[in-house]
Amino acid sequence: MHLSLNAKTVKILYFIGMIVLAVLFIMTPDIGKSVLIYKFAIAIAFLIWGILCFALFVINILLKRREYKSDPDNQADDFEDTFRKTFGNFDFKGIATLLFGILLIGVSVIQMPDCIKDINAGTTEIVLVNTSVEQHRSTSSRGFSRKYFSLKGTELSSGENYKFRFDRLSESVVNALNHDFTRVEMVIYPNTKAVVSMEIHCTDKTIVLPDEKI
């Protein structure tokens, strides 16, 4: 009963984690001082969600093993038989949950150090030239479609190529970045590429983000 209760609790937390992540992704701004905080929160949420996936896998194993050992015919089986027969009855969903949890933890382990470095070191300023914006559309296996933009450019002094992703850009901003600009000045966090601000210097005006509605 105790294990069943824990499994139910972990499942509830698992679905709560899904909702929290969805809310964080929806609320995360493309540009602004809070972008890094959201990225850090998402990395922590990935870690917690991954641990919950792993916990679900372990609890299900313990439940199956207890169910197997509760059968009087199996009491005399040694550890090897118990292990083989327990895992032999383990479903694909359980394995998928484990692999998904490992993936989430891996993503968190990659993202979190970059967030911490940026929090400690602060921002840097870059100037991009030869910029271009492309619109993309990603479609999930369930048919959910999402539009996003990728901004590419070359840093003026170092010659380094940069690429940024934005979920929302106005048509005026896209046109300015593709056609009518002299340079793009950006304040970013160098490790996570979180954009704090962006100034698009055009021939007759300057577009400042995030003040521009995007």
Side-chain angles (χ1 to χ4, degrees):
M1 179 65 69
H2 183 63
L3 283 176
S4 298
L5 179 61
N6 284 343
K8 184 180 294 185
T9 301
V10 172
K11 285 181 179 179
I12 293 173
L13 293 175
Y14 175 86
F15 288 111
I16 292 175
M18 290 178 60
I19 297 172
V20 170
L21 268 175
V23 171
L24 285 174
F25 274 116
I26 292 172
M27 293 184 61
T28 301
D30 283 329
I31 303 174
K33 295 180 180 179
S34 63
V35 175
L36 180 61
I37 301 302
Y38 276 98
K39 284 182 176 288
F40 190 44
I42 289 172
I44 294 174
F46 273 148
L47 178 62
I48 295 173
W49 200 16
I51 292 173
L52 289 172
C53 289
F54 186 79
L56 276 176
F57 179 78
V58 172
I59 289 174
N60 284 331
I61 288 177
L62 295 176
L63 287 172
K64 286 181 178 294
R65 184 177 184 277
R66 189 181 68 176
E67 180 182 354
Y68 175 82
K69 295 297 290 184
S70 64
D71 188 341
D73 294 335
N74 300 325
Q75 292 298 321
D77 286 351
D78 57 23
F79 177 79
E80 182 178 351
D81 286 335
T82 302
F83 183 87
R84 176 172 52 82
K85 292 177 181 178
T86 299
F87 274 87
N89 294 327
F90 210 78
D91 56 10
F92 173 77
K93 183 179 179 181
I95 300 298
T97 300
L98 173 63
L99 294 177
F100 185 54
I102 293 174
L103 175 63
L104 290 173
I105 293 173
V107 171
S108 175
V109 168
I110 293 172
Q111 292 182 347
M112 201 173 295
D114 287 339
C115 292
I116 295 173
K117 289 178 184 177
D118 281 344
I119 291 172
N120 292 329
T123 61
T124 186
E125 296 183 10
I126 62 172
V127 178
L128 295 184
V129 294
N130 301 322
T131 63
S132 64
V133 177
E134 295 180 357
Q135 181 176 317
H136 306 273
R137 187 172 295 277
S138 61
T139 304
S140 67
S141 58
R142 296 186 177 183
F144 178 75
S145 181
R146 185 177 185 181
K147 181 177 67 174
Y148 66 94
F149 303 86
S150 60
L151 166 63
K152 298 178 182 179
T154 303
E155 214 286 318
L156 181 61
S157 59
S158 66
E160 182 179 355
N161 292 322
Y162 280 84
K163 183 177 181 179
F164 301 92
R165 170 172 170 159
F166 301 97
D167 290 324
R168 299 168 294 275
L169 284 179
S170 67
E171 185 177 351
S172 61
V173 170
V174 173
N175 289 335
L177 288 168
N178 280 333
H179 307 294
D180 182 28
F181 73 96
T182 56
R183 69 187 187 279
V184 179
E185 298 177 1
M186 302 178 72
V187 177
I188 67 169
Y189 286 100
N191 295 287
T192 60
K193 300 296 187 296
V195 180
V196 177
S197 65
M198 178 165 60
E199 293 185 5
I200 307 168
H201 293 266
C202 306
T203 54
D204 60 348
K205 63 180 178 179
T206 298
I207 301 175
V208 180
L209 301 174
D211 293 336
E212 165 89 17
K213 186 177 181 181
I214 59 176

